Amino acid sequence: MDTADEVQPTSPEVMLAFYRRLYPFKSIYNWLNHEHAPTRLFTHREFAFTLQGDVYLRYNSFTSADELKKQVCQLNPTRFEIGPVYSARPRDKKTVRSGAFNPILRELVFDIDMTDYDPVRTCCSKTDICKKCWGFIAAAVRVLDAALRDEFGYEKLLWVYSGRRGIHLWISDKEAMALTDQQRKALVGWLTVVQGGKEGSQKLNVHNNGGKLPPSLQNALGYLRTVFGELILSNQNCFQSEDGYEELLKAVPDQRVVDTLRSKWDANPTRSSEDKWSDLFKAASTQQRLMSALEDIIIQYTYPRLDAEVSKHRNHLLKAPFCIHPKTGRVCVPLDLEAIEKFDPEGVPTVSQLLRELDQIKREDDESSSKEYHSDWEKTSLKPYIDLMDKHALSLMEVTRKEKRKAGIWFLFFLYVHEELSLEIFKIYPGDSAADISFVCTSRMYNIYTSVH
């Protein structure tokens, strides 16, 4: 197969080869299902497909990873999205009575888009992104990840590069998945400090009447101070131009200081952003009100800018990990939080690159064979990203295993206390051991529990 650079990155031929040989359907299944045997977390999950020609198919559902793969290879979509877990199988939507088809569970998701930083970044604009402006995303990830773990207690966070200019977050904790739309709206409202887009340049004032920040913002500010110098003053050089330093002066609440600094900077047009920030810091050092304004500026330029609409509703669809971005050809890969600052968007594998890597591997099987190559990704540069996903999925499955074990202990205690009921259960399962009976009943009780919660 010709996988030269001139081939369209998401041509039907390329996409079909990717789905057949590289896409990690089993890993996606384990991540969504939280255990090996199919549960409602997967069988009642919505999948939506975007086909060639922008045809959109919603309310698809599947019973296994193999069934999902078969349908994807048959439809050959340009991408597909993952939705909520419904009260009935999405594919049965038309046969379910009115009012009985509702979203009941959904990962809490967030979307950070680089275009929302256009008012403050100088290296790129619109859909472009580079290693320099990735620093905004990295800072946002650090702040948001810490807030969600420390303030809300969530642990199962998966960060996924969107394939072009942003990042998605999927939170799979049981408590997060059960949040209502109203609760999601309140949570994202609490986390939203700086608006995205044009509103992001508006003057920020987040201090209370006593001149203090809320504790959550104080924690974020402690980290943002450490990246402000390199990201804003050095890499972006935000205050070098006249437009840049005029935006800075708009945030200073003392007109006398503003006039003094403007005169000094107008007379020295080549003065660096570091020098201008130093000038402002010296002028503000004797006034608490101005020092608070400097803290507001740091937050305004570096705090996460969230696309709130993505997070508010359980029925919102979000692009599945490992899909291919149609414009760049890059894979939407999970990211390692510990190396988030080192991540380079331009270094992400493209679908054409991955297929070239496969073409270099000698195979005895003809490429047109109907045989499915479940582990071909292990031979490519996609492997570390799938390993990361599998590690995350295993942690979710371990939580489920521990919950089942805990439920089993309580069930045995219940049988011990209620001797008559225990004898009735042994009549239902004659010849089985107590352990076998406990496992069967615990599994059923757990499945009922997860379907309700």
Side-chain angles (χ1 to χ4, degrees):
M1 179 182 130
D2 183 9
T3 56
D5 291 335
E6 63 267 14
V7 174
Q8 184 182 349
T10 55
S11 68
E13 181 188 22
V14 168
M15 292 304 299
L16 186 56
F18 174 74
Y19 289 134
R20 283 178 173 171
R21 301 182 63 181
L22 291 169
Y23 193 88
F25 291 97
K26 188 63 176 179
S27 300
I28 294 294
Y29 168 87
N30 288 337
W31 166 55
L32 294 176
N33 193 60
H34 296 199
E35 56 182 304
H36 293 294
T39 69
R40 288 185 174 216
L41 290 177
F42 189 82
T43 62
H44 287 50
R45 174 83 63 168
E46 179 187 2
F47 291 85
F49 299 107
T50 302
L51 309 185
Q52 299 287 340
D54 290 331
V55 176
Y56 199 50
L57 302 179
R58 287 199 62 181
Y59 302 113
N60 302 276
S61 60
F62 308 94
T63 60
S64 66
D66 290 339
E67 187 177 318
L68 171 61
K69 178 174 183 177
K70 181 178 179 181
Q71 182 75 340
V72 168
C73 291
Q74 180 180 341
L75 294 175
N76 196 17
T78 56
R79 72 175 192 180
F80 62 92
E81 297 169 314
I82 298 172
V85 177
Y86 281 90
S87 52
R89 296 176 189 264
R91 64 187 179 190
D92 298 332
K93 179 178 183 292
K94 293 182 180 180
T95 62
V96 176
R97 63 179 175 81
S98 178
F101 185 76
N102 301 295
I104 56 174
L105 295 172
R106 174 72 161 106
E107 290 82 5
L108 177 60
V109 296
F110 291 90
D111 181 16
I112 302 174
D113 196 307
M114 197 67 248
T115 54
D116 287 329
Y117 291 85
D118 280 353
V120 295
R121 64 171 174 162
T122 60
C123 56
C124 303
S125 63
K126 298 182 179 179
T127 59
D128 293 331
I129 188 171
C130 68
K131 189 70 170 65
K132 282 187 176 181
C133 53
W134 179 259
F136 286 105
I137 300 291
V141 167
R142 289 292 184 188
V143 170
L144 190 58
D145 192 274
L148 290 165
R149 293 178 190 274
D150 299 341
E151 304 294 333
F152 295 94
Y154 296 139
E155 298 178 347
K156 304 306 178 183
L157 282 64
L158 179 70
W159 292 96
V160 181
Y161 171 54
S162 69
R164 190 173 196 179
R165 61 176 185 272
I167 195 167
H168 299 155
L169 170 62
W170 301 72
I171 305 177
S172 299
D173 295 76
K174 182 174 63 178
E175 298 80 4
M177 293 191 66
L179 291 174
T180 65
D181 287 359
Q182 195 63 32
Q183 290 169 333
R184 291 166 194 259
K185 183 178 180 180
L187 189 150
V188 73
W190 187 86
L191 289 170
T192 300
V193 177
V194 181
Q195 300 294 332
K198 295 180 180 179
E199 296 181 6
S201 60
Q202 294 180 357
K203 182 179 177 180
L204 194 66
N205 184 7
V206 292
H207 288 76
N208 59 28
N209 293 332
K212 295 183 178 180
L213 287 171
S216 57
L217 277 183
Q218 190 65 54
N219 293 337
L221 178 64
Y223 166 73
L224 295 175
R225 286 182 191 275
T226 66
V227 300
F228 182 81
E230 181 178 0
L231 176 60
I232 303 300
L233 304 181
S234 179
N235 289 348
Q236 296 296 322
N237 203 6
C238 289
F239 313 133
Q240 172 70 50
S241 67
E242 182 178 353
D243 289 343
Y245 68 70
E246 284 295 338
E247 284 297 324
L248 174 62
L249 293 175
K250 287 179 183 178
V252 179
D254 188 313
Q255 191 58 46
R256 186 177 61 178
V257 171
V258 169
D259 292 340
T260 300
L261 292 176
R262 180 181 288 121
S263 297
K264 182 175 183 178
W265 296 346
D266 286 345
N268 298 273
T270 60
R271 197 163 178 78
S272 69
S273 293
E274 289 96 334
D275 291 337
K276 288 170 183 170
W277 183 254
S278 178
D279 295 338
L280 177 56
F281 186 84
K282 290 177 182 178
S285 59
T286 58
Q287 299 185 48
Q288 180 58 45
R289 183 169 65 118
L290 291 182
M291 291 303 293
S292 294
L294 262 63
E295 292 180 346
D296 287 340
I297 292 168
I298 293 173
I299 292 172
Q300 180 174 348
Y301 276 78
T302 57
Y303 195 85
R305 303 184 177 207
L306 305 175
D307 184 347
E309 295 305 314
V310 171
S311 308
K312 290 180 180 179
H313 304 289
R314 280 174 294 187
N315 63 353
H316 186 89
L317 296 160
L318 193 62
K319 182 168 52 180
F322 297 104
C323 280
I324 303 299
H325 193 285
K327 299 296 184 182
T328 65
R330 295 190 187 118
V331 185
C332 302
V333 293
L335 300 182
D336 182 3
L337 178 65
E338 298 306 314
I340 196 69
E341 289 84 6
K342 299 177 181 178
F343 177 72
D344 182 3
E346 297 178 344
V348 172
T350 64
V351 61
S352 297
Q353 172 192 334
L354 292 170
L355 293 178
R356 282 198 301 271
E357 291 175 12
L358 285 183
D359 286 344
Q360 293 173 1
I361 301 171
K362 294 182 179 180
R363 311 190 57 93
E364 295 180 358
D365 303 283
D366 184 80
E367 189 177 68
S368 62
S369 171
S370 60
K371 179 181 177 180
E372 296 185 358
Y373 309 108
H374 292 288
S375 60
D376 272 358
W377 55 263
E378 294 184 348
K379 308 162 188 173
T380 71
S381 53
L382 197 59
K383 184 180 187 304
Y385 302 105
I386 298 180
D387 287 343
L388 196 63
M389 170 63 90
D390 288 341
K391 180 180 178 181
H392 180 72
L394 283 174
S395 73
L396 293 172
M397 297 168 82
E398 178 64 14
V399 170
T400 300
R401 187 190 68 80
K402 288 181 178 179
E403 288 180 346
K404 280 192 171 185
R405 182 181 180 185
K406 184 177 180 181
I409 292 173
W410 279 107
F411 180 71
L412 290 175
F413 176 75
F414 179 81
L415 293 183
Y416 176 78
V417 173
H418 300 275
E419 182 178 357
E420 291 182 2
L421 178 59
S422 176
L423 292 173
E424 289 298 319
I425 292 177
F426 272 92
K427 290 178 182 179
I428 298 173
Y429 298 97
D432 289 337
S433 67
D436 291 337
I437 295 172
S438 173
F439 175 80
V440 171
C441 295
T442 298
S443 296
R444 292 184 178 180
M445 290 172 66
Y446 181 79
N447 288 337
I448 293 172
Y449 174 82
T450 54
S451 69
V452 173
H453 293 76

